[in-house]
Amino acid sequence: GGPGAGGGAGGGDFVGRRAELATVLQRLDAAAGGGGGAVVLVGGEAGIGKTRLAEEVAAAARDRGTTVVWSRCADEAAAPALWPWTQVLRALGVPPPPVTGAGGSDSGRAELFDRIAGALMAAAADDPLLVVLDDLHGADPLSLHLLRFLVGRLPAAPIVLVATLRESAEERTDALVHTLAELARERAVTRLALDGLRDEEVRELLVGRGLEDPRLADDLGRRTEGNPFFLVELVELMRSERGRGAPDLPASVRDVLERRLGRLPADTRGLLTLAAVIGREFPLDVLEAAAQLDPEQLATLLEPAVITGVVVEQGSGWVWRFSHELVREAIAASTTRMQRARLHRRIAEALEELPGRDRLDALAHHSYLAGPFMAPGAALRYALAAADAARERFAHVTAAEHLTRAVELVDASADGAGDVHALLVALGRDRRAAGDLTGAQAALSRAIALAVQLGDTDGAAEAASVFGGVTLWNWRAYATSDPAVIARLDALLAVTTAPARRAELLGTLACELCYTERRPEGMAAAREAAAIARELGDVPLLGRVLNNVYLAGWVPGGEAERRAVLDESLGLVGAGLPPHTEAVARLHRGALAMRFGELDVARADLARAAQLSTELGLVELRAQVSYQEAGHATLRGEWDLAEKHADEAYALQRHTSLWGARWCRMVQRMTIRRGQGRLGEVVAELVDGTVGEFAGLRPLALLALAELGEEAEARRLLARSPMELPVDWSTDFLLCAWGEVAAALGSPDPARLRHDLRGQVDELVVAGTANACWGSVQGVLGRLAARAGDPVAARAHLDAAVRVDTALGAVPWAERARRSLDAVT
């Protein structure tokens, strides 16, 4: 059989495994260079990618001029002795020697092995030889004996043997165990154990198949433990069903799992059915109470599952865990919905009798899934209690999951519309806190509609005002607005007189008007909201509406008011300001302080925000902390550290529905690659990405082209898309970027940009919430003056840039200014 005959997962996909591939190729290169041969054993569970790695090795070997032969060990009883080696010899064009009698005497076996070894040596006389033995766990004892024999000959020949094998206990014959023990003592033998793909590798695999949803990637990665075969099979089933939701188990995956489960005793499978309904992990006390068995009985029944690797012990406590989520799913799927519901009731009743408030999540889960078999009202009661407990520990994702079920349960009761409204508002808040802004909008929109239907004006106002909660930037997609939402807020303000509710609505309206012609009106509304909150002495409300003032006033020229708002907000720390509001205010002030070169303030605010984001556990905050840490690293020219933080931030934000991840990603990648002298790696991405939604970032693409020496292409691109400058939070950074373009290309008009940038002369070039920094604006002005033919002004600006950047520790930007100064001089 050729490559792939072993059923390797992934087809054309090859993600991860780079280190393992490099290891095997190093052995191959060493053999080709006269360093002697080697054996590489690639182990792992079914579908983990052993055959796929061997295929990649084989392809690379052929590219190196290596002869490659492939065989598969058949585990059928009828397969003849030495079958895998017979395939190898035939592939090399060598008639296989007769095996008859080889196992009867040592001399006969030695002679046979000598002839096969000689044939392999002869095949490797001109070119190195790679032999792949796929599914070594299926090899007959004589074939394994020959493998042990050949290891002693490899140091004298440029031959590399790659053998794949499954690691599960039920796949290991006594002969295989003996062979592996002997090979472990040989210096020429390397053992590689493949685990599941890492999270980023799962995402890479899915993107290669047209699925870019990070939440889907996380779900499938969790269910499959990163097993490539299971991943690909699930993805292909989704594609065939034209859906993106989590699919049921495909028959191909079910077959693999049933093979393992089918070897377990019936009583063990019965217990595992209950365990599978408990969850991926099942503690001893819960299983004991639900199964009504003592620990000794449980241990006896679980032992076969542990030995075969279906179940593994979790940590040092008395907790077990299914080796794969898919194993658990396969077992649970063998029951009917009615059977599962009854088992959920048994588990819920067991949990009710066990101590500990930390079991609320599980109790709510099983009570809900028990359906009609649970006592009336129990599922709703536990869902609400679990949501409250989750919110107390800032687990807003979990709280939202419980509230979603609570809404469903109340809906099913056909009454209690007011209760549904309250639940929907709470659900909207939790989803928003969890970063699920799309889900929050859906819940709150329904709450508003329900309140209007009930004639509850205050209820509608309460739901509508959630959209104006504290945040780093507007939750709505960049440069968009919703006329229907604005009209609803206008209508509610016309009839709302309660001061606190009115302040909330005014602040929310201010944020909704940011990208409309009514922005000045929105700013006035935010200021009015702050005045109301001050008069009320309501610290949490004041912190919220001051955040609204900041966002509504985030335009050029509003820096003084924005700084005053932040200082006022942070002056309330210790007087009742919520920790989340403090964290957001510190990130805003840190970004503004960096822009004005106040790095001590910026670093202190970032450190406190980082501490708060860890305590609160909010993904949105953790992402923003990483963005800002990357920005500080770009100022200092610590490019590897900047990239680490930028990657962290991007991965975190993609777990939310908050817009802007790609905007930050492009700015940071361009900045980092520019600093590393590797702009060529991102120029295509910048050119392609600055169309449509991110057209405002076009100067980054133009600057990259210009600095790569592709000025003609940059000019053509500029002619097709002349300078556009939005008036919002991005203006100051983009104005500097256009200044660099004008200095490099002479267009847009350098004189105009010099004039427009004069107001920023004492600032640093800072992007957004400080996710990148390009040093002093003086450097940009100096290069513009040089392009405009004003060497005196150019030297003055560039001298200032060197001084400022050097004083701030911005070494690469000081060096850039110094090079520009040398060019002028």
Side-chain angles (χ1 to χ4, degrees), residues 29-94:
D29 292 340
V39 172
V40 180
L41 302 174
V42 182
E45 65 181 7
I48 202 67
K50 304 180 297 296
T51 300
R52 186 68 187 87
L53 175 61
E55 290 173 351
E56 200 71 15
V57 170
R62 290 190 188 93
D63 291 342
R64 286 165 158 75
T66 299
T67 302
V68 178
V69 291
W70 189 290
S71 71
R72 179 173 179 268
C73 305
D75 54 6
E76 294 84 4
L82 291 182
W83 174 243
W85 298 105
T86 299
Q87 295 176 74
V88 169
L89 294 174
R90 286 176 177 164
L92 292 171
V94 178

Side-chain angles (χ1 to χ4, degrees), residues 711-798:
E711 289 192 12
E713 180 58 30
R715 293 180 194 282
R716 282 193 294 270
L717 186 59
L718 180 58
R720 292 198 302 270
S721 55
M723 175 179 169
E724 293 182 8
L725 194 65
V727 180
D728 56 31
W729 54 269
S730 67
T731 306
D732 301 304
F733 170 70
L734 294 177
L735 187 62
C736 293
W738 278 113
E740 294 284 20
V741 171
L745 301 177
S747 180
D749 181 10
R752 173 193 164 188
L753 284 160
R754 283 180 70 187
H755 176 273
D756 291 345
L757 276 170
R758 283 185 306 175
Q760 296 175 229
V761 65
D762 295 323
E763 301 174 13
L764 303 185
V765 184
V766 173
T769 49
N771 53 61
C773 182
W774 291 4
S776 172
V777 175
Q778 292 273 17
V780 184
L781 286 166
R783 284 181 284 275
L784 280 169
R787 166 61 74 168
D790 187 348
V792 174
R795 282 193 290 271
H797 284 305
L798 291 169

Side-chain angles (χ1 to χ4, degrees), residues 1 5 44 49 318 354 357 360 400 404 450 486 505 561 665 689 714 755 765:
W318 295 102
L354 293 171
R357 190 166 181 264
L360 267 176
T404 299
L450 185 59
I486 293 172
L505 289 172
E561 182 175 11
R665 179 76 164 172
H755 176 273
V765 184

Side-chain angles (χ1 to χ4, degrees), residues 569-788:
S569 182
L570 291 171
L572 301 172
V573 172
L577 189 73
H580 175 244
T581 307
E582 179 190 349
V584 170
R586 289 197 182 278
L587 286 167
H588 278 311
R589 191 172 71 176
L592 200 55
M594 176 184 272
R595 183 174 160 189
F596 288 96
E598 302 169 19
L599 295 191
D600 289 343
V601 174
R603 283 192 285 262
D605 278 340
L606 178 57
R608 175 59 178 160
Q611 178 187 348
L612 288 169
S613 73
T614 300
E615 293 173 359
L616 297 173
L618 299 180
V619 175
E620 176 185 343
L621 283 182
R622 295 204 309 272
Q624 295 300 328
V625 166
S626 293
Y627 277 132
Q628 208 162 109
E629 286 174 332
H632 279 268
T634 62
L635 175 65
R636 299 188 299 267
E638 297 173 349
W639 307 118
D640 290 343
L641 181 62
E643 187 159 20
K644 172 181 174 290
H645 287 309
D647 288 345
E648 287 172 355
Y650 184 68
L652 285 167
Q653 189 168 338
R654 282 171 60 85
H655 285 280
T656 76
S657 55
L658 184 68
W659 78 273
R662 284 190 60 227
W663 194 97
C664 296
R665 179 76 164 172
M666 291 199 314
V667 170
Q668 290 184 326
R669 278 175 60 78
M670 186 273 183
T671 302
I672 293 166
R673 293 293 179 260
R674 186 186 185 202
Q676 294 170 327
R678 296 161 55 191
L679 270 176
E681 296 178 18
V682 296
V683 66
E685 174 187 344
L686 292 170
V687 172
D688 293 341
T690 53
V691 176
E693 182 183 6
F694 299 108
L697 288 178
R698 181 54 58 89
L700 272 65
L702 294 168
L703 184 58
L705 287 169
E707 293 191 354
L708 286 169
E710 300 180 30
E711 289 192 12
E713 180 58 30
R715 293 180 194 282
R716 282 193 294 270
L717 186 59
L718 180 58
R720 292 198 302 270
S721 55
M723 175 179 169
E724 293 182 8
L725 194 65
V727 180
D728 56 31
W729 54 269
S730 67
T731 306
D732 301 304
F733 170 70
L734 294 177
L735 187 62
C736 293
W738 278 113
E740 294 284 20
V741 171
L745 301 177
S747 180
D749 181 10
R752 173 193 164 188
L753 284 160
R754 283 180 70 187
H755 176 273
D756 291 345
L757 276 170
R758 283 185 306 175
Q760 296 175 229
V761 65
D762 295 323
E763 301 174 13
L764 303 185
V765 184
V766 173
T769 49
N771 53 61
C773 182
W774 291 4
S776 172
V777 175
Q778 292 273 17
V780 184
L781 286 166
R783 284 181 284 275
L784 280 169
R787 166 61 74 168

